[in-house]
Short mmCIF file of all heavy atoms in Angstrom, two decimals:
data_model
loop_
_atom_site.label_atom_id
_atom_site.label_comp_id
_atom_site.label_asym_id
_atom_site.label_seq_id
_atom_site.Cartn_x
_atom_site.Cartn_y
_atom_site.Cartn_z
N THR A 44 33.85 1.66 28.02
CA THR A 44 33.91 0.33 28.66
C THR A 44 35.33 0.11 29.18
O THR A 44 36.27 0.77 28.73
CB THR A 44 33.59 -0.77 27.63
OG1 THR A 44 34.46 -0.63 26.51
CG2 THR A 44 32.15 -0.71 27.18
N ARG A 46 37.43 -2.09 28.46
CA ARG A 46 38.33 -2.43 27.36
C ARG A 46 38.87 -1.19 26.63
O ARG A 46 39.95 -1.23 26.04
CB ARG A 46 37.48 -3.26 26.39
CG ARG A 46 38.19 -4.06 25.38
CD ARG A 46 37.16 -5.10 24.92
NE ARG A 46 37.28 -5.41 23.52
CZ ARG A 46 36.50 -6.26 22.88
NH1 ARG A 46 35.53 -6.88 23.51
NH2 ARG A 46 36.67 -6.52 21.62
N GLN A 47 38.11 -0.10 26.63
CA GLN A 47 38.50 1.09 25.86
C GLN A 47 39.05 2.20 26.76
O GLN A 47 39.29 3.32 26.31
CB GLN A 47 37.29 1.59 25.05
CG GLN A 47 36.86 0.61 23.95
CD GLN A 47 35.44 0.84 23.45
OE1 GLN A 47 34.47 0.76 24.20
NE2 GLN A 47 35.30 1.15 22.17
N MET A 71 27.04 -4.07 29.22
CA MET A 71 25.92 -4.51 28.38
C MET A 71 24.60 -4.42 29.16
O MET A 71 24.57 -4.75 30.35
CB MET A 71 26.20 -5.96 27.97
CG MET A 71 25.26 -6.52 26.96
SD MET A 71 25.61 -5.93 25.31
CE MET A 71 25.81 -7.44 24.43
N HIS A 72 23.53 -4.00 28.51
CA HIS A 72 22.16 -3.94 29.02
C HIS A 72 21.95 -2.85 30.08
O HIS A 72 20.96 -2.85 30.81
CB HIS A 72 21.69 -5.30 29.57
CG HIS A 72 21.79 -6.40 28.55
ND1 HIS A 72 21.29 -6.27 27.29
CD2 HIS A 72 22.37 -7.63 28.60
CE1 HIS A 72 21.54 -7.38 26.61
NE2 HIS A 72 22.21 -8.22 27.37
N GLY A 98 30.21 1.47 21.95
CA GLY A 98 29.07 0.87 21.26
C GLY A 98 27.77 1.19 21.99
O GLY A 98 27.69 2.11 22.82
N GLY A 99 26.75 0.38 21.71
CA GLY A 99 25.43 0.61 22.28
C GLY A 99 25.41 0.60 23.80
O GLY A 99 24.61 1.30 24.42
N SER A 100 26.30 -0.18 24.41
CA SER A 100 26.30 -0.25 25.89
C SER A 100 26.76 1.06 26.49
O SER A 100 26.20 1.53 27.49
CB SER A 100 27.22 -1.38 26.35
OG SER A 100 26.76 -2.60 25.85
N THR A 121 31.42 3.57 18.22
CA THR A 121 32.51 2.69 17.74
C THR A 121 31.95 1.36 17.23
O THR A 121 32.71 0.44 16.95
CB THR A 121 33.56 2.44 18.83
OG1 THR A 121 32.94 1.71 19.90
CG2 THR A 121 34.15 3.72 19.36
N THR A 122 30.63 1.23 17.16
CA THR A 122 29.98 0.06 16.52
C THR A 122 28.84 0.62 15.66
O THR A 122 28.65 1.84 15.58
CB THR A 122 29.38 -0.93 17.55
OG1 THR A 122 28.22 -0.34 18.15
CG2 THR A 122 30.37 -1.32 18.63
N ALA A 124 25.55 -0.18 16.19
CA ALA A 124 24.28 -0.48 16.88
C ALA A 124 23.20 0.58 16.62
O ALA A 124 22.01 0.27 16.56
CB ALA A 124 24.53 -0.63 18.37
N SER A 126 22.19 3.16 18.52
CA SER A 126 21.47 3.69 19.68
C SER A 126 21.56 5.21 19.75
O SER A 126 20.63 5.88 20.21
CB SER A 126 22.04 3.04 20.95
OG SER A 126 21.47 3.59 22.09
N THR A 129 18.55 7.36 18.53
CA THR A 129 17.20 7.08 19.03
C THR A 129 16.93 7.74 20.40
O THR A 129 17.87 7.97 21.17
CB THR A 129 16.93 5.56 19.20
OG1 THR A 129 17.47 5.13 20.46
CG2 THR A 129 17.53 4.74 18.08
N ILE A 131 15.49 6.08 22.68
CA ILE A 131 15.11 4.85 23.39
C ILE A 131 16.19 4.49 24.41
O ILE A 131 17.38 4.54 24.10
CB ILE A 131 14.94 3.67 22.41
CG1 ILE A 131 13.93 4.04 21.32
CG2 ILE A 131 14.54 2.40 23.13
CD1 ILE A 131 13.93 3.07 20.13
N LYS A 140 14.74 -6.31 32.16
CA LYS A 140 15.05 -5.19 31.26
C LYS A 140 13.77 -4.43 30.92
O LYS A 140 12.79 -5.02 30.49
CB LYS A 140 15.71 -5.72 29.99
CG LYS A 140 16.22 -4.61 29.07
CD LYS A 140 17.23 -5.12 28.05
CE LYS A 140 17.73 -3.96 27.19
NZ LYS A 140 18.80 -4.32 26.29
N LEU A 159 37.66 5.40 14.07
CA LEU A 159 37.38 4.68 15.32
C LEU A 159 36.85 3.27 15.06
O LEU A 159 36.98 2.41 15.92
CB LEU A 159 36.36 5.44 16.16
CG LEU A 159 36.91 6.57 17.00
CD1 LEU A 159 35.78 7.22 17.76
CD2 LEU A 159 37.97 6.07 17.97
N MET A 167 32.76 -8.82 14.91
CA MET A 167 31.84 -7.83 15.50
C MET A 167 31.33 -6.87 14.44
O MET A 167 30.18 -6.41 14.50
CB MET A 167 32.54 -7.04 16.59
CG MET A 167 32.58 -7.75 17.92
SD MET A 167 33.44 -6.75 19.15
CE MET A 167 32.34 -5.37 19.31
N HIS A 257 23.81 -9.89 22.13
CA HIS A 257 22.89 -9.00 21.40
C HIS A 257 23.07 -9.05 19.87
O HIS A 257 22.16 -9.44 19.14
CB HIS A 257 23.10 -7.56 21.91
CG HIS A 257 22.28 -6.54 21.24
ND1 HIS A 257 20.98 -6.26 21.58
CD2 HIS A 257 22.57 -5.71 20.21
CE1 HIS A 257 20.51 -5.32 20.81
NE2 HIS A 257 21.46 -4.95 19.96
P1 NAD C 1 28.62 -3.10 23.10
O1 NAD C 1 28.52 -1.63 23.20
O2 NAD C 1 28.13 -3.91 24.25
O3 NAD C 1 30.13 -3.49 22.81
C1 NAD C 1 30.52 -4.84 22.85
C2 NAD C 1 32.04 -4.91 23.16
O4 NAD C 1 32.77 -4.41 22.08
C3 NAD C 1 32.46 -4.11 24.39
O5 NAD C 1 33.34 -4.87 25.15
C4 NAD C 1 33.18 -2.91 23.80
O6 NAD C 1 34.22 -2.46 24.62
C5 NAD C 1 33.75 -3.48 22.52
N1 NAD C 1 33.93 -2.49 21.43
C6 NAD C 1 33.04 -1.54 21.05
N2 NAD C 1 33.55 -0.86 20.01
C7 NAD C 1 34.76 -1.39 19.72
C8 NAD C 1 35.76 -1.11 18.73
N3 NAD C 1 35.60 -0.18 17.80
N4 NAD C 1 36.88 -1.87 18.74
C9 NAD C 1 37.04 -2.86 19.65
N5 NAD C 1 36.14 -3.17 20.61
C10 NAD C 1 35.00 -2.45 20.63
O7 NAD C 1 27.89 -3.66 21.78
P2 NAD C 1 26.78 -3.04 20.81
O8 NAD C 1 26.33 -4.18 19.98
O9 NAD C 1 27.29 -1.81 20.14
O10 NAD C 1 25.61 -2.56 21.77
C11 NAD C 1 24.70 -3.47 22.34
C12 NAD C 1 23.82 -2.77 23.36
O11 NAD C 1 23.21 -1.63 22.79
C13 NAD C 1 22.67 -3.67 23.85
O12 NAD C 1 22.52 -3.50 25.25
C14 NAD C 1 21.46 -3.11 23.11
O13 NAD C 1 20.26 -3.35 23.81
C15 NAD C 1 21.81 -1.65 23.02
N6 NAD C 1 21.13 -0.96 21.89
C16 NAD C 1 20.25 0.02 22.22
C17 NAD C 1 19.59 0.72 21.23
C18 NAD C 1 18.65 1.84 21.60
O14 NAD C 1 18.14 2.55 20.71
N7 NAD C 1 18.37 2.05 22.87
C19 NAD C 1 19.84 0.43 19.87
C20 NAD C 1 20.74 -0.60 19.57
C21 NAD C 1 21.40 -1.28 20.59
#
Side-chain angles (χ1 to χ4, degrees):
T44 54
R46 197 161 145 181
Q47 293 161 300
M71 188 77 124
H72 304 311
S100 299
T121 64
T122 71
S126 175
T129 82
I131 304 167
K140 187 162 182 174
L159 278 180
M167 278 180 66
H257 178 83

